[in-house]
Amino acid sequence: MHLRHTIIGELGRRLESGDAFVRCLAAQALGRLGNRAAVPGLLGLLADEDVDVCCDAVAALGALGDRRAVPALLEVYAQAPLGELRLAALDALGRIGGEQAGALLRAVAQERDATWDEVGPVGWDRYWDARRTAVSALGRLGDPSAAPVLARLLADEDGEDVASLALTALAALGPAGAEVVCAQVRGGLPLVRRAAARTAGEQHLAVAQAALLEALKGADPELRVEALRALARLEAPLPGMSWLRLARDADPAVRAAAAGMRTDLPAGSHADGLRALAGDPDGPTRAAALRALAAWHPDGAREVLVAALQDPDPAVLSAAAHGLPGSPDRRAHGILCAVARCARYTLPRRLAALEALEAFPREWSAPLWHELLADEQGAMRLTCLRALCRAGDPEAGALLAAVLRGEVVPAQADPGPPPAPGERTTGELGRDAAALAAPSSDPPPRSTVEALLRPAAAAAESGQEPAPATLELDESERECLALVEENLRTGEQGGRAHRLPVHTELRVQAAHLVGSEGVAAHGEVVAALIAMLAGTETPLRVAAAEALGRLATRDAIEPLRACLDALDPEVRLAAVRSLGRIGRSDDLQAIYAAWPDRDHLVRREQVRVLGATPAPANAQLLRQALADPEASVVQASAMALLEHGCRESLDDVLAAIGRFPDRDWSGLGERLLSRAGERAFQALGAWLDDPHRLGGHALAISLLEEMARTAAETPSGDEPQPAASHG
């Protein structure tokens, strides 16, 4: 720990620097390092002529939490002419605590100090910032005597801007604060009541349960929702009559929240209520009811869950599929297959069905996945391909290779069977349970566009021309209708799918499956990727190079080497990364021979790959890279040299990073400590003494701070043993 104390002492001496910027940086670093030996020096900066230095010293004292600073901070608050400095002093006092600090914080939170009228930028009253700071600090200190002050804030409409902060602070004050929160749930201002209910749940105030149950009877639906969510966090069951009333609430958000709540109703009555909610017009309510049925009443839930697999809302379908109890159900599997096949249904609905099918035995679902590899929707094809790969299908490799080659062309999509009586399909947002068995009329359109869509879609499905619109339309509606009619003519919305080639994006996504999802180095897949790599489309070549790197197959080495001379830098970058992943010495030599690339991102990757392997030749290249004009290349080179113990390169490294003082060099201080230790400390101290290195002072102090922090975290001493040198 000797070097840590030496660094802290050096930073303390920098508090007396003639450069205000250095004093600021030193104060900030000392505050973050948490050593209270810096308190006297920081107290000396409170009278500094530079207000930024004063603010940083005040903040550092607050971070150190030493009560020796309280009198001086109180004086700063009382006499400082600037609101920024007063705010900093108030925040610091709130972090330190004590009787005097608490009294000031209560006073600031309770009423406006007249001196605040004289400070703050035009258009903004800094007192509001001060009050928020004081309220947060009172909660952090946990003093119960602050409860009346915070309660008065909640009774004033002007206090609504700090309501959430005040309630959170009250919850931290123990029984006195919890009592105020409960009172606000029962009868505060509307906004405050909702915030109080939310706070009671977030802070797990069990004493608020009775107040939350009372709030469920209020007229504000948002309050009822917040109260239900809070009770759920408290794991408090609802009384049976309350649950039944809320399950019939006019607000769908309330019904959805109630559906997921436990209740003391008899099990049969609760299950009956959830079955009714499973037919609610609101999708989230149906989904919540299905999840609750599956969790609490699985024995009687199967029929409802199976029926819900036909729901047009993808979230409801997923909830039903995931909730199916027991062994796999053939009937449920058949419904999901029918939904996935039907081209009339929305893409999210079909994808939800495909996802659900992965839970069934592979031999049940594999035929459908093979079939839908020729679906018109690229997302459907990719999902099926991924499912086959995950399931370890014996034909997955060959199918993946076909997609990579672009050979899978969608067949004529099956529009699916006509809808069953009463079933609602595309464009309709809800249904009830009776709609599965009995016909029901369509709901009224929710917009002008929907009113126009319905007859057009019906006409397209029947093979007729869409009826002309009779409503008066504005320009945006006419444009939307023209687009819809064009889609209908091409069959994309009318169930008459047309053939499309496999898009580049689908081939790219298929390449991303290689090396993951259970896809190993299948011969056809490797050949298809090598063919993609030799193509002309950059996205395909990049995806192929990355996939070949994940496979780490020897067959890919020569094609990847050839890509080091590609015109497109993205291709060269992917090739360097993949050759580095394969990691053979000959391949690294090819990367070495290609140095320096004309693109800085490729050069950075070359440095990272070569820097990961200790070798004298690589060390020579890394030293050359220190002179690179691009900061990211220099950073990668410096990290690599220090990582491998090139202590003789320390001066070169420091000179190189000094050219980019504004860059984030996080991690470099740790390496400097472990590889150079005292030498690095002395070199950085020399930087701070050099008046011509003003731009590097911030970098030097940040590196010293990181070194000190790392030394404190190293149990074995100041300097870990250096790694073997490059030579």
Side-chain angles (χ1 to χ4, degrees):
M1 299 293 286
H2 169 71
L3 186 55
R4 170 180 166 82
H5 295 311
T6 303
I7 293 174
I8 290 175
E10 178 67 22
L11 292 174
R13 286 189 290 276
R14 299 299 168 180
L15 295 176
E16 302 174 1
S17 169
D19 185 344
F21 184 49
V22 173
R23 298 198 298 276
C24 284
L25 295 171
Q28 294 169 12
L30 288 167
R32 287 189 292 264
L33 288 171
N35 190 304
R36 294 189 176 185
V39 168
L42 292 168
L43 288 172
L45 292 184
L46 297 183
D48 197 280
E49 60 185 10
D50 189 293
V51 68
D52 290 331
V53 174
C54 293
C55 286
D56 287 328
V58 166
L61 288 168
L64 294 176
D66 193 314
R67 293 198 176 183
R68 289 178 293 173
V70 169
L73 291 173
L74 288 170
E75 185 177 355
V76 169
Y77 178 82
Q79 298 182 3
L82 294 175
E84 181 183 2
L85 185 53
R86 298 187 78 200
L87 279 174
L90 192 66
D91 182 70
L93 288 165
R95 297 181 185 280
I96 297 172
E99 184 177 345
Q100 291 177 294
L104 175 62
L105 292 167
R106 290 193 295 273
V108 172
Q110 184 169 358
E111 60 183 351
R112 182 191 193 89
D113 185 338
T115 58
W116 284 100
D117 295 335
E118 303 173 6
V119 299
V122 176
W124 180 246
D125 189 345
R126 296 301 291 269
Y127 171 69
W128 303 116
D129 292 329
R131 184 165 70 169
R132 291 176 66 87
T133 300
V135 168
S136 297
L138 289 170
R140 190 163 52 243
L141 295 176
D143 183 0
S145 64
V149 174
L150 297 173
R152 281 193 289 274
L153 282 178
L154 299 174
D156 183 359
E157 290 189 0
D158 289 338
E160 288 189 349
D161 65 314
V162 292
S164 294
L165 287 175
L167 288 163
T168 302
L170 284 162
L173 300 184
E179 183 179 344
V180 176
V181 175
C182 294
Q184 293 299 319
V185 173
R186 288 189 173 97
L189 297 168
L191 178 65
V192 177
R193 291 187 75 186
R194 295 194 289 269
R198 184 165 53 252
T199 300
E202 291 173 349
Q203 304 301 318
H204 299 283
L205 298 180
V207 296
Q209 183 174 334
L212 292 168
L213 289 172
E214 291 178 26
L216 296 176
K217 302 175 183 178
D220 182 2
E222 293 184 48
L223 174 61
R224 298 198 296 276
V225 170
E226 292 292 354
L228 282 168
R229 290 173 178 168
L231 287 166
R233 286 194 176 100
L234 296 174
E235 299 182 355
L238 284 179
M241 294 306 297
S242 296
W243 189 90
L244 291 172
R245 174 172 48 81
L246 293 166
R248 296 190 297 268
D249 197 279
D251 191 278
V254 176
R255 298 198 301 273
M261 290 290 298
R262 289 186 176 273
T263 175
D264 58 12
L265 277 173
S269 300
H270 187 212
D272 289 341
L274 289 173
R275 289 190 193 96
L277 285 175
D280 193 272
D282 177 62
T285 301
R286 298 198 300 276
L290 292 171
R291 286 192 291 267
L293 264 176
W296 299 327
H297 309 286
D299 294 340
R302 182 177 293 276
E303 289 301 318
V304 176
L305 292 170
V306 170
L309 296 175
Q310 302 179 63
D311 196 290
D313 188 320
V316 178
L317 186 155
S318 295
H322 291 138
L324 282 172
S327 58
D329 187 305
R330 278 287 189 182
R331 186 159 60 100
H333 184 268
I335 292 173
L336 290 170
C337 287
V339 172
R341 279 192 181 99
C342 185
R344 268 188 313 103
Y345 293 158
T346 62
L347 179 60
R349 182 179 178 184
R350 299 178 69 202
L351 289 173
L354 275 183
E355 179 186 353
L357 285 169
E358 292 193 49
F360 290 84
R362 186 194 75 184
E363 58 270 18
W364 291 16
S365 302
L368 177 74
W369 293 332
H370 282 273
E371 172 189 335
L372 293 183
L373 279 175
D375 192 87
E376 177 172 320
Q377 295 285 355
M380 292 288 290
R381 283 175 273 166
L382 183 64
T383 302
C384 290
L385 188 59
R386 183 183 294 113
L388 287 167
C389 293
R390 286 174 177 168
D393 188 272
E395 299 181 41
L399 291 169
L400 177 57
V403 174
L404 292 172
R405 291 192 295 266
E407 294 176 357
V408 177
V409 180
Q412 292 288 340
D414 178 13
E423 182 188 356
R424 299 187 186 183
T425 58
T426 308
E428 299 186 17
L429 305 177
R431 59 153 181 77
D432 53 36
L436 290 172
S440 62
S441 59
D442 290 340
R446 300 192 177 198
S447 67
T448 302
V449 172
E450 187 176 344
L452 293 166
L453 274 174
R454 287 185 181 175
E461 289 183 3
S462 63
Q464 303 172 1
E465 289 296 324
T470 57
L471 299 178
E472 293 186 6
L473 308 175
D474 60 24
E475 183 177 355
S476 63
E477 290 170 335
R478 284 195 297 272
E479 291 178 358
C480 179
L481 180 59
L483 178 61
V484 170
E485 289 177 339
E486 175 63 24
N487 287 339
L488 290 168
R489 279 195 295 273
T490 60
E492 291 178 3
Q493 297 290 335
R496 301 190 299 275
H498 52 281
R499 295 169 65 85
L500 295 173
V502 176
H503 294 297
T504 296
E505 179 62 24
L506 177 60
R507 296 174 68 190
V508 168
Q509 294 297 327
H512 291 166
L513 298 178
V514 178
S516 60
E517 308 291 355
V519 180
H522 187 280
E524 289 189 60
V525 170
V526 172
L529 290 171
I530 291 174
M532 284 175 62
L533 194 60
T536 58
E537 293 187 68
T538 295
L540 292 177
R541 301 183 72 193
V542 170
E546 292 174 346
L548 289 168
R550 289 193 295 272
L551 291 177
T553 175
R554 299 175 63 87
D555 295 335
I557 292 173
E558 288 304 323
L560 287 171
R561 284 184 180 179
C563 288
L564 295 176
D565 296 324
L567 292 177
D568 197 304
E570 294 180 44
V571 178
R572 300 198 301 275
L573 178 63
V576 170
R577 186 179 293 124
S578 293
L579 286 170
R581 182 173 291 178
I582 295 172
R584 285 181 40 183
S585 58
D586 291 346
D587 308 325
L588 299 181
Q589 183 60 37
I591 296 174
Y592 185 93
W595 170 268
D597 193 272
R598 53 189 177 277
D599 182 83
H600 74 277
L601 294 177
V602 181
R603 292 199 304 278
R604 182 183 65 184
E605 194 62 30
Q606 289 174 315
V607 166
R608 287 177 176 172
V609 169
L610 295 173
T613 305
N618 291 350
Q620 181 181 357
L621 182 146
L622 294 175
R623 291 190 186 96
Q624 293 175 11
L626 291 175
D628 197 276
E630 186 64 35
S632 63
V633 180
V634 173
Q635 185 170 27
S637 177
M639 293 291 194
L641 283 167
L642 292 173
E643 180 66 24
H644 292 292
C646 291
R647 300 173 68 130
E648 66 277 7
S649 302
L650 177 63
D651 293 338
D652 294 335
V653 168
L654 292 177
I657 66 175
R659 292 189 288 124
F660 307 99
D662 297 330
R663 186 171 181 82
D664 180 9
W665 291 95
S666 300
L668 185 63
E670 179 182 352
R671 283 178 170 81
L672 286 172
L673 175 72
S674 62
R675 306 307 180 194
E678 190 72 31
R679 282 186 61 207
F681 166 71
Q682 293 173 357
L684 293 172
W687 275 24
L688 292 172
D689 291 329
D690 186 349
H692 301 293
R693 276 191 178 271
L694 293 180
H697 288 165
L699 173 58
I701 288 179
S702 69
L703 291 174
L704 287 171
E705 179 188 346
E706 187 176 352
M707 289 172 65
R709 190 184 309 111
T710 304
E713 297 168 355
T714 304
S716 58
D718 293 339
E719 301 180 37
Q721 292 298 314
S725 174
H726 275 318

